[in-house]
Amino acid sequence: MDFNDTPEEAKFRKEASDWLKQNFEKFESEKLSSEKSAKSSAEPSKTAQDESKALELAKKWQTIKYDAGWACLHWPKDYGGRDATPIERVIWAQEESKFSIPGGFFEIGQGMAGPVMMMYATEEQKKEHLPPMAKGEKIWCQLFSEPGAGSDLAGIKTKAELDGDTWTINGQKVWTSGAHYSDWGILVTRSDFDAPKHKGLTYFFLDMKSPGIEIRPIKQINGGANFNEVYFTDVKIPDSQRLGDVGDGWRVALTTLMNERLAVGDASGVDFKEIFELAKENDFYGEPAVKNSAVREKLADWYCEYSGLKNTKMRRISALSKGDTPGPEASITKIVSANKLQDIANFGMDILDQAGINSEGNLKYHGSLLGAPLIRIAGGTDEILRNIIAEQVLGMPQDVRLDKNVPFNEIPTGEKSN
Amino acid sequence: MNFEFSDEQIAMKDEVRKLLDKENSLKRNRTILEGEEKFDKDLWNSLVSMGLTAVTIPEEFGGIGMGYLELCVIAEELGRAIAPVPYSSSVYLATTAILNCASDEIKKEFLPKLASGEIIGTFAHAESSGFPLEKSINCNFASGKISGTKAAVPDADIADFAIVSAKSSSGVGLYLVDLKDPNIEITSLDTFDPSRSHANIDIKDASAKELISDGWLEIEKILDQSAVLFSFEQIGGAEAAMNMAKDYAQGRYAFGRSIASFQAIKHKIADMYISLQLARSNCYFGAWALSNEASELPTAAATARVSATKAFYECSKENIQTHGGMGATWEFDCHLFYRRSRLLASNIGSQGVWKEKLISSIEKSNLQI
Ligand SMILES: Cc1cc2nc3c(=O)[nH]c(=O)nc-3n(C[C@H](O)[C@H](O)[C@H](O)COP(=O)(O)OP(=O)(O)OC[C@H]3O[C@@H](n4cnc5c(N)ncnc54)[C@H](O)[C@@H]3O)c2cc1C
Ligand SMILES: Cc1cc2nc3c(=O)[nH]c(=O)nc-3n(C[C@H](O)[C@H](O)[C@H](O)COP(=O)(O)OP(=O)(O)OC[C@H]3O[C@@H](n4cnc5c(N)ncnc54)[C@H](O)[C@@H]3O)c2cc1C
């Protein structure tokens, strides 16, 4: 057991870190003073202006990386990547995380749409769409969830009808993160309402500027408005932008969701380090809170979770380094980190006591406490993830379902008694 | 980087598992639990002949000179099999104490016999309820003799010698006493997990060999080292209990379906898995710190210990729950894991102690968080 890089890994790490040091400093120093006040993506942008500043900065940095060959490292060079190995990708991420780089806009494109395009698009489409995605020039969004279909994604009702070579889309998507600044989207629709639920779906990519798309922002509990309702009224998509066969959209969607789970990492926000510092800085009953045994016990529990996640990641990296496929350990990351985030933020507020009510100075805690519930839902809820662990990792049976092998339009919806 | 055990270590783990399966360790646990014997001598002899008592002892002292990583994988298997043997006392604790602190003379006398299984050792530290602190040690050493009492010492009624903590004018140190000495009275106890024997010892002017006279830091270090090994034992047990719950649930039908298809059961077992994975990853870090004598050991050991204790408790109690009425019976093995889980949680200090050690070690270190 050791934490040392192999000689090749060490060489790669140095190359990455040297490049980052040189170029990120330059990037920072060239920022306009107005840009310097732009918020990091971890906090919700309160105004559209804040958001467009943050986006502009993120795009700028992404382009610098892309031009030097440091974008989407594991992608083929032909599509704007670097042909890097999985472990090189990890090393890069480790080095990049040492800097507070602007980001938060490219994950859906590069993490989900990219891999799906790689598998299902034509060569020509890949050459056209992947490099701008890697460069951060084009932003992508994920048009999956609907008012009646979230966890149960296959319950979607947005309708796709084919006439000649053109599909016409009608319906509504919801919770679409970043739809308002996206250039392209990946979309799951229902093309057959008489087929069983999972058999009648068809998957596309489309231009978000297409006529008939209407985007309405939804304000979140944390005050941000990063997700949207997206309405489709007779939106046209050429059949050439279909990914996978007609009626086989569920398979394509599953590929996307698998990548989503890999793309979703730790929940960011207050963690052990922050709560430990807070407990040192604040008094409880006349002594620093950190001296209180009830506080210490909680700190110990969170340290164990923090360290358990960190070391789980190390085991994953170790498997990659050996060229093995990592085991299912990573499936626990989001559940543990999002709940830890919520509990730490809540306890931070306890330590701050009544002064914590004031947002000024305490935004870190307010932000994490309001952000954590979103993370526990987005990209697979806690409950769905527990099902995935039980079924896919531990091999336990699926839930008994009432929606299998029934024509889609005969499945109960709760909306009307049919 | 390489954060997994080596192929050789994994092969060794498999061998130990096969042996414990073949010897039917679970059944042996029950036999000891229900019977008069204090440990399973046959099983112990099999482990000895596999060389498992010689692992960390250097060749010059009759051992095989492997490292602590090998001990970690063995510990995990002994935990999975809830083996009724004095391995933790003799190997994690007594052997380590001698390796760390004893003179060459003592090493020459004791290590070869420990390696060959000819003698068994234990470690006697706690004196009353509550975790011993430096100032609370009452056992006294003067002019080559020890007097005092030690409470609930694991395997004291099995072992040939004990490493005893005692105070003297130079501080709290470690001393070796012969447990067959007539000046030592040994009283076996009825315990929560009778598959592992415990006894009180009352020492009245027994002669003792000094390992170290001012040795509080050494005592802490031995506890940290053994905490990593106890943690591996705990995750082995936790995994066995989780699998038992899962297997039972798959086969048990109620309401026209396997109870494994009810979310209340699925999510319960998913939570066991989460707790176990966190503990396992922390144990691996503990193993790294232990085998590299890293300065992170106190934090790493406490982290492994706290999360492994939690995981074994959760898995063993919810395993009973998953078994319904069957889990409540003496006949089913669920309670064997539940008992062992509680015993291991008490040996070398309970949760509160290790949580406190964890946070104070972080306060003392400049750990990168
Ligand atoms: C911040 C945020 C960003 C998002 N971004 C996007 C995006 O970009 N694109 C997109 O398509 N979607 C996005 N989503 C939607 C997200 O994927 C869904 O909200 C999520 O899958 C849950 O679906 P739902 O909201 O319909 O809740 P429901 O599925 O109705 O769930 C409600 C509750 O029921 C539970 N539940 C549901 N089914 C089961 C079951 N089988 N067993 C046990 N419990 C169950 C859930 O766990 C939950 O607690 C986003 C969501 C959030 C919060
Ligand atoms: C101390 C004791 C005394 C008892 N005394 C009596 C008595 O005097 N007379 C008598 O008739 N019985 C008695 N019982 C039996 C008791 O009522 C049953 O053990 C209990 O109802 C559980 O049934 P089971 O053992 O078959 O477990 P199972 O029903 O097989 O349950 C196994 C596990 O599956 C879970 N499970 C089962 N169904 C579901 C579901 N639909 N959804 C989610 N989880 C589920 C259970 O919660 C449990 O965790 C006694 C039991 C005990 C432990």
Side-chain angles (χ1 to χ4, degrees):
Chain A
M1 273 190 181
D2 66 66
F3 288 97
N4 307 330
D5 287 333
T6 64
E8 303 87 72
E9 287 165 5
K11 186 164 158 270
F12 183 82
R13 188 183 297 281
K14 184 166 185 320
E15 198 188 336
S17 130
D18 287 351
W19 186 87
L20 275 163
K21 265 185 217 129
Q22 215 177 18
N23 290 277
F24 192 70
E25 263 166 38
K26 187 155 157 273
F27 170 74
E28 284 281 272
S29 67
E30 285 170 5
K31 265 203 278 191
L32 303 172
S33 59
S34 69
E35 290 175 328
K36 290 205 169 105
S37 64
K39 290 214 172 68
S40 81
S41 58
E43 290 170 48
S45 302
K46 283 274 157 40
T47 65
Q49 219 179 351
D50 279 355
E51 186 180 73
S52 67
K53 260 187 233 161
L55 175 59
E56 198 184 319
L57 260 190
K59 282 188 167 186
K60 221 183 236 180
W61 172 241
Q62 189 66 23
T63 305
I64 296 174
K65 285 199 313 193
Y66 177 84
D67 290 341
W70 291 109
C72 295
L73 268 71
H74 56 303
W75 288 10
K77 283 201 178 111
D78 280 355
Y79 306 143
R82 193 189 180 88
D83 279 324
T85 62
I87 188 70
E88 286 174 341
R89 184 185 173 197
V90 167
I91 292 172
W92 168 262
Q94 287 175 334
E95 293 305 314
E96 199 181 31
S97 73
K98 293 177 185 163
F99 300 84
S100 53
I101 53 131
F105 298 94
F106 311 121
E107 285 75 3
I108 294 177
Q110 298 174 356
M112 293 184 241
V116 159
M117 293 289 282
M118 214 93 72
M119 276 182 78
Y120 293 96
T122 65
E123 192 54 36
E124 203 180 322
Q125 288 168 333
K126 289 190 236 183
K127 291 239 168 71
E128 180 186 343
H129 290 286
L130 293 173
M133 193 188 275
K135 193 174 177 181
E137 198 179 308
K138 298 291 181 202
I139 312 274
W140 288 62
C141 63
Q142 178 196 14
L143 300 146
F144 282 23
S145 305
E146 295 184 8
S151 301
D152 183 16
L153 175 62
I156 56 159
K157 283 189 275 195
T158 292
K159 187 174 188 179
E161 289 168 295
L162 181 63
D163 183 13
D165 272 348
T166 306
W167 291 85
T168 303
I169 313 294
N170 280 290
Q172 186 204 338
K173 295 290 171 179
V174 74
W175 324 128
T176 317
S177 302
H180 53 299
Y181 50 67
S182 288
D183 304 285
W184 291 88
I186 43 178
L187 170 73
V188 197
T189 64
R190 182 165 305 278
S191 50
D192 185 348
F193 284 71
D194 297 318
K197 190 168 177 174
H198 297 80
K199 299 275 155 70
L201 306 181
T202 301
Y203 194 118
F204 303 96
F205 68 94
L206 87 165
D207 187 342
M208 288 300 286
K209 305 287 175 303
S210 308
I213 295 183
E214 188 198 339
I215 298 167
R216 296 184 200 159
I218 307 174
K219 193 166 176 180
Q220 294 148 201
I221 61 173
N222 61 359
N226 190 52
F227 59 25
N228 305 271
E229 293 178 294
V230 181
Y231 291 87
F232 293 79
T233 313
D234 290 334
V235 174
K236 305 289 178 197
I237 305 181
D239 189 47
S240 59
Q241 288 177 202
R242 173 168 46 80
L243 298 174
D245 291 339
V246 175
D248 206 24
W250 182 242
R251 186 207 304 268
V252 189
L254 279 185
T255 317
T256 320
L257 294 183
M258 251 163 54
N259 282 305
E260 177 169 26
R261 273 170 214 131
L262 292 179
V264 181
D266 290 3
S268 66
V270 290
D271 204 336
F272 176 78
K273 184 179 173 168
E274 287 75 20
I275 194 77
F276 185 49
E277 291 303 322
L278 193 76
K280 285 197 264 189
E281 289 158 6
N282 287 273
D283 277 6
F284 177 77
Y285 263 84
E287 56 173 14
V290 73
K291 296 287 166 221
N292 180 277
S293 62
V295 173
R296 293 171 84 77
E297 169 152 28
K298 280 178 177 291
L299 288 174
D301 286 335
W302 287 317
Y303 185 82
C304 287
E305 289 187 358
Y306 154 81
S307 158
L309 288 176
K310 185 168 113 181
N311 291 317
T312 298
K313 192 184 277 176
M314 288 301 168
R315 287 168 61 200
R316 197 178 140 75
I317 295 172
S318 173
L320 288 172
S321 171
K322 272 200 281 186
D324 293 348
T325 318
E329 303 84 35
S331 53
I332 69 171
T333 303
K334 195 180 82 115
I335 287 197
V336 177
S337 65
N339 284 280
K340 167 162 61 67
L341 173 67
Q342 192 163 25
D343 291 347
I344 287 180
N346 190 46
F347 192 63
M349 297 286 285
D350 274 343
I351 290 182
L352 289 162
D353 212 277
Q354 299 180 50
I357 297 169
N358 185 354
S359 296
E360 196 183 325
N362 300 321
L363 269 182
K364 250 198 308 199
Y365 287 89
H366 290 199
S368 291
L369 194 54
L370 289 166
L374 277 59
I375 306 174
R376 289 183 54 201
I377 294 166
T381 65
D382 285 4
E383 292 73 25
I384 293 299
L385 290 176
R386 283 196 175 84
N387 261 8
I388 288 175
I389 292 172
E391 291 168 18
Q392 293 173 26
V393 179
L394 299 169
M396 298 178 73
Q398 291 200 338
D399 294 351
V400 169
R401 305 180 55 151
L402 309 174
D403 60 351
K404 282 211 160 157
N405 308 317
V406 183
F408 179 70
N409 49 20
E410 290 174 20
I411 295 171
T413 62
E415 282 166 18
K416 53 179 191 283
S417 51
N418 47 352
Chain B
M1 68 172 287
N2 177 11
F3 196 36
E4 287 295 334
F5 289 97
S6 70
D7 291 345
E8 293 75 28
Q9 285 149 2
I10 290 169
M12 177 164 191
K13 186 169 191 264
D14 289 344
E15 284 306 307
V16 177
R17 188 190 300 207
K18 270 189 220 145
L19 174 81
L20 290 162
D21 275 352
K22 197 184 86 195
E23 297 285 341
N24 207 341
S25 178
L26 274 188
K27 182 139 175 285
R28 289 172 182 273
N29 177 302
R30 181 176 286 278
T31 310
I32 300 301
L33 183 90
E34 293 171 349
E36 292 301 313
E37 293 295 318
K38 302 195 180 306
F39 74 112
D40 191 315
K41 293 196 180 67
D42 291 342
L43 183 61
W44 177 250
N45 289 336
S46 309
L47 299 177
V48 167
S49 32
M50 224 178 142
L52 301 191
T53 45
V55 173
T56 50
I57 298 173
E59 283 172 42
E60 56 169 320
F61 298 117
I64 48 180
M66 291 173 133
Y68 279 100
L69 290 179
E70 283 76 13
L71 219 48
C72 290
V73 298
I74 296 168
E76 186 180 339
E77 292 312 316
L78 292 171
R80 187 189 313 281
I82 45 172
V85 290
Y87 194 83
S88 50
S89 302
S90 198
V91 180
Y92 313 164
L93 286 161
T95 302
T96 302
I98 293 176
L99 283 170
N100 286 2
C101 309
S103 65
D104 258 17
E105 198 184 325
I106 294 181
K107 284 183 182 167
K108 269 187 206 133
E109 184 182 346
F110 286 87
L111 291 177
K113 291 186 196 157
L114 279 167
S116 67
E118 201 179 320
I119 56 171
I120 290 170
T122 188
F123 190 77
H125 188 36
E127 298 186 347
S128 55
S129 66
F131 190 71
L133 298 178
E134 187 169 12
K135 58 176 186 274
S136 72
I137 295 291
N138 269 323
C139 244
N140 198 56
F141 175 83
S143 339
K145 306 231 170 212
I146 284 195
S147 291
T149 58
K150 292 286 175 185
V153 180
D155 306 304
D157 46 1
I158 295 169
D160 301 279
F161 72 91
I163 308 289
V164 179
S165 57
K167 66 178 178 193
S168 72
S169 50
S170 357
V172 173
L174 289 175
Y175 302 88
L176 191 155
V177 297
D178 180 353
L179 287 171
K180 308 289 180 246
D181 187 323
N183 294 330
I184 301 181
E185 194 186 326
I186 298 175
T187 316
S188 294
L189 307 174
D190 286 336
T191 67
F192 189 75
D193 177 7
S195 75
R196 297 277 290 102
S197 204
H198 288 67
N200 285 343
I201 59 182
D202 190 0
I203 311 172
K204 293 197 181 86
D205 270 339
S207 29
K209 294 181 165 52
E210 177 182 311
L211 264 60
I212 181 169
S213 60
D214 182 13
W216 188 255
L217 291 178
E218 284 297 335
I219 294 173
E220 298 257 296
K221 182 176 166 192
I222 293 163
L223 290 174
D224 286 345
Q225 287 171 299
S226 68
V228 175
L229 300 161
F230 273 98
S231 304
F232 271 93
E233 222 178 290
Q234 289 170 305
I235 59 166
E239 190 166 281
M242 177 185 81
N243 286 333
M244 217 175 137
K246 186 181 77 173
D247 292 345
Y248 181 80
Q250 306 260 37
R252 170 75 175 169
Y253 275 66
F255 303 97
R257 52 201 261 211
S258 157
I259 61 165
S261 70
F262 292 120
Q263 276 193 0
I265 298 290
K266 285 164 78 171
H267 289 192
K268 185 196 291 299
I269 296 179
D271 284 338
M272 293 185 195
Y273 177 82
I274 290 170
S275 178
L276 177 61
Q277 283 305 321
L278 291 173
R280 179 175 290 283
S281 298
N282 284 330
C283 280
Y284 281 29
F285 189 66
W288 169 82
L290 171 61
S291 68
N292 287 284
E293 305 214 13
S295 63
E296 290 93 335
L297 179 65
T299 309
T303 307
R305 171 77 174 157
V306 171
S307 37
T309 302
K310 177 168 182 273
F312 199 5
Y313 175 57
E314 272 185 33
C315 292
S316 64
K317 84 183 162 79
E318 297 307 323
N319 179 37
I320 296 181
Q321 182 66 15
T322 305
H323 278 72
M326 290 302 184
T329 65
W330 185 266
E331 187 188 338
F332 266 63
D333 288 339
C334 305
H335 71 115
L336 307 184
F337 285 90
Y338 189 56
R339 287 171 190 276
R340 181 58 65 87
S341 129
R342 186 54 248 177
L343 175 68
L344 291 176
S346 297
N347 285 146
I348 69 160
S350 60
Q351 273 300 58
V353 170
W354 285 95
K355 285 184 176 177
E356 177 52 39
K357 277 176 180 285
L358 172 53
I359 296 305
S360 41
S361 79
I362 295 172
E363 285 174 324
K364 277 183 223 146
S365 71
N366 295 317
L367 211 68
Q368 277 268 312
I369 299 163

